[in-house]
Each structure stands twice: as structure tokens, then as C-alpha cells.
Amino acid sequence: MGSEQQYIDLYSQCRQMIMQHSGGALNNVRDLAFENFKQMKFPNRRVERYKYTDMQAVFAPDLGLNLNRLEIPTNPYDAFKCDVPNLSTSLYFVVNDAFFDKALPKSHLPQGVIVDSLRKVASEQPSIIDKHYGRLANSKEDAVTALNTMLAQDGLLVYVPKGVVVDRTIQVINILRSDVDLMVNRRVLVILEDHAEVKLLFCDHAADDRLFLATEVVEAFVGNNASLELYTLEETHNKNCRVCNTYIEQQAGSNVKHNVITLHNGLTRNLTNISLAGEGAECQLYGCAISDKHQHVDNNTLIDHQAAHCTSHERYKYVLDGQSTGAFAGRVLVRHGAQQTESAMTNQNLCSTKECRMYTQPMLEIYADDVKCSHGSTVGQINDAALFYMQQRGISLKEARMLLQTAFVNEVIDQMHLEPLRDRLHYLVDKRFRGELNKCEGCKLCK
């Protein structure tokens, strides 16, 4: 019997409770996702996109779920201070997998912009949700997406109407809190209509020393000539498992910048699918992972060039230490008719010990003849000559290694347009390499 049987039994027994505490489009696709999950089950390592992470082991623990939506007694606005201050953001919280609606930011959003509970909007304004929810995240194609779809009861909606530019960054703090080991299932739906613009920053934190398993499915619809900047920063702990599937669809002339930073974690598995569905669309994917001990970071990406004159740039960097493992599998698909495509993919990795492992697999699949596409990957160690040069000038070996590692990952961090975030990440990366990144400064939740 595989790991999936406990979830099949759970849904069969608690279906009514799950639906009672959700609503609208979330419930409409739930039963279909359950049937798809039963057919697929969790992928094993023979499945190409999951060959580097044992999903059966990830989902094997028997964890608690808050299906009855018991309230977590906390006010994160008073208690929690994220480690990325001074950003002048519109700040929102998701506690476990529920949108925190007891208090909202004092800053005002432009007229028509919605940042709210997905469950609430699905019940009160279903027309916004119905035609988008579950369309990109197809539960027939991925077992984790199917599991999240059948269990998710709430999440976050970001809706920006046509022509509206949101100047202030929207920052969402995902907080994991529990007195027992817990599984949470978050959902995020982002809808940008034509010519809309928004910047989103998601910060993941675990406030309690418990085993957490968090699944998250993000669907983002980016309209014609719209612009989305999506930044994700993970600072959790060694007991946290994060499985995130992100699906983005871009229309003509749109621009997406997606940057994923993993500073501290237990096991992280990120899947990113981007569809360039309209001519002239452009996407930029950047990722950075720093891991040690027995941590595991797996990034799997697919950029699907469906239309002509589209551009994609992708760069992921890893720094591994201890007995950690890293994996990167990136695939660029250029379909028939997608002429004048430009694509570049790079994965660069530093292994600081003989015990750490890095798996890298960049791939191009091209069915058009007028394209400019390149890909490459490197795995190596810190240059001994550079270390020797710095030591000759009075820098200790430890400090020299840290300076070279920091310079290595700065290329990814410097791609961020948000200057306060970029500056803060330089500081956090320095703390991470010094072993000082243990908990967020100013957080009162754990005291």
C-alpha cells in the first residue's frame, strides 16, 4: 500500500467537512481531482519530472490537517516581523493555509484590485474565480496538484483589472503554526487583465518546531501586455517539507519575472510551468538555493514556447554544503510555428564538500527552425587559486570561502528590481553562510 492510501481514505471520510468549510469553484473541481488522484497516485522516481525527489517518502508521514478550520489564536500583524523590513509593502498573512482576515493592511489598493481570501471571493464573487480556478493546474497531469485541489479549502486571490498598475509591492507572509505535526494545502490564484502590472513577494516561515508538510499550487494568468513580478523567499527550518507547483500563462506582449530563493529549509520541491501563449511574450526565471546538513532542494521547470517572437531567460544557482542534495531539471519546449524564439538556460552549482550531491539536467526540445536557443550547466568547487590569493592578503580561509560563495549567488539576487529586497537579501545570504540565519529578527510568535 503506497503513501496515497491515507489521503484517499481521508477524503472519502471527510469530504463533507472539507466542502462545508470551503465553497464555490474550489468545491466544483474537488471530486474530479480526487478521481484523478486515485488513478495516478504519487509519482515514483521513474517518472521523469520527479526522478530526484522521493514523493512517496515525502507524503508518507501521518500528519494532522485542520479540515474543520479551527482558529489559530494569533495576530501576526502584532506578533510577526518578517526578516525583510522597510519594503513599504501592502502586507498580508496566510496562517497555515487560511487567509488571515481579522485585520488588513492600512494601505489602500487601487480601485478594483482584490487581495483577499480565495474561499470568500469564490462564494461572494464567483464570476472572477470560476473561469480560472483549476484551468492551468490540471489535476489530470500531476498527482500533487490533484491532491492539493481535492484538499485545499482556502488560499489567496490577487486580481488586478485591465490597465491598473499596482505601484506598491504586495507582500504575503506564509506562516506555519501548530502544536502538532501538520499538513497544510495552500492555493494561490493571480489574475492580471490586459495592461495590468503588479509585484508580489511571498515569504515562507515556520514559527514552531514541528514537522510541516506544505503543498501549494499557484495559478497565474497574465493578460496582453501585462507585467508580473513574482518573488518567493523561503526561510523555514530542517523539519519543513515544501512542495510547490506554479503554473503561469502569458498572453501577447506580457512580461513575467519569477525569482525563487531558498535560504533555509528541510526538503523543497518546486515545479514551475510557464506557457508563452501569445506573440512577443517574455519571461525571466531566476533561482538560488543555499543548503547544508541533509537539506534537499529540487527545482523542475518547463518553459513552453507556444507562439512566435517570444523570449525566455533562465538562470539557477546552488551552493551545497554538508550532506545536502540539490537538483535542477529545466526544459525549454519550442513548438511548431514558434519562430523567432530566443531562449537561454543556465544552471551553475558549487559543491563545498565531497558528501553533497548535485543533479542537473538542462534540456531543449525544438520543433521550429528559426530560433536562437542555448543551454548549459556546471558543477564544481571553489577555485583553490582564488582562495590562496585571498589568504595571501590576510583573509582567513573561512572568510574567503564565504566571500566567494556570496559573490557566486549575487548574480541571481541582483536581478531583483526591488532594491530594498535586493539589499536585504545580500545581508541574509551573508548571515546564511555564517550560520546565523536561525529565526527571523523581531518575531514574537516563538517567545
Side-chain angles (χ1 to χ4, degrees), residues 89-258:
T89 60
S90 297
L91 183 63
Y92 297 85
F93 287 90
V94 174
V95 180
N96 294 332
D97 49 14
F99 181 82
F100 185 80
D101 59 359
K102 299 297 185 293
L104 294 174
K106 297 179 181 179
S107 59
H108 296 288
L109 296 170
Q111 185 174 3
V113 176
I114 301 174
V115 181
D116 207 340
S117 161
L118 188 59
R119 174 194 56 79
K120 175 184 174 184
V121 179
S123 299
E124 298 178 356
Q125 298 174 268
S127 60
I128 297 177
I129 309 297
D130 288 348
K131 62 181 179 181
H132 293 97
Y133 185 82
R135 186 168 72 79
L136 293 181
N138 191 338
S139 64
K140 294 182 180 179
E141 298 179 356
D142 185 271
V144 175
T145 296
L147 177 70
N148 178 279
T149 302
M150 75 190 209
L151 294 179
Q153 296 170 283
D154 195 9
L156 174 75
L157 169 69
V158 178
Y159 170 77
V160 184
K162 183 177 181 179
V164 174
V165 176
V166 183
D167 293 324
R168 185 186 293 267
T169 300
I170 295 172
Q171 184 176 9
V172 180
I173 311 295
N174 294 318
I175 301 178
L176 295 171
R177 289 224 65 194
S178 180
D179 296 329
V180 298
D181 296 344
L182 187 70
M183 177 185 185
V184 303
N185 299 283
R186 290 192 295 259
R187 198 76 180 211
V188 178
L189 179 60
V190 180
I191 304 170
L192 272 66
E193 295 190 346
D194 297 349
H195 301 278
E197 296 182 18
V198 72
K199 299 180 181 68
L200 302 176
L201 169 61
F202 291 89
C203 300
D204 279 22
H205 301 277
D208 293 299
D209 186 24
R210 293 290 181 179
L211 172 61
F212 290 104
L213 170 56
T215 74
E216 182 175 69
V217 171
V218 180
E219 293 179 283
F221 296 82
V222 186
N224 295 314
N225 299 297
S227 175
L228 170 65
E229 293 185 29
L230 177 59
Y231 303 100
T232 300
L233 172 63
E234 181 180 5
E235 288 182 79
T236 53
H237 56 53
N238 294 331
K239 295 181 180 179
N240 189 69
C241 292
R242 179 181 189 267
V243 182
C244 179
N245 290 357
T246 300
Y247 302 89
I248 302 175
E249 181 182 78
Q250 296 183 234
Q251 300 304 323
S254 62
N255 188 287
V256 167
K257 174 170 277 191
H258 184 29

Side-chain angles (χ1 to χ4, degrees), residues 348-361:
Q348 297 170 298
N349 311 282
L350 280 181
C351 294
S352 300
T353 67
K354 293 181 180 180
E355 291 77 24
C356 61
R357 294 289 183 270
M358 181 68 205
Y359 304 93
T360 177
Q361 187 181 21

Side-chain angles (χ1 to χ4, degrees), residues 276-280 304-310 333-342 365-371:
L276 303 175
E279 288 197 12
D304 187 354
H305 285 259
Q306 300 176 0
H309 303 283
C310 293
L333 171 61
V334 182
R335 295 184 182 269
H336 291 285
Q339 306 293 357
Q340 297 290 309
T341 289
E342 293 189 21
E365 188 174 345
I366 302 172
Y367 299 98
D369 54 11
D370 186 7
V371 302

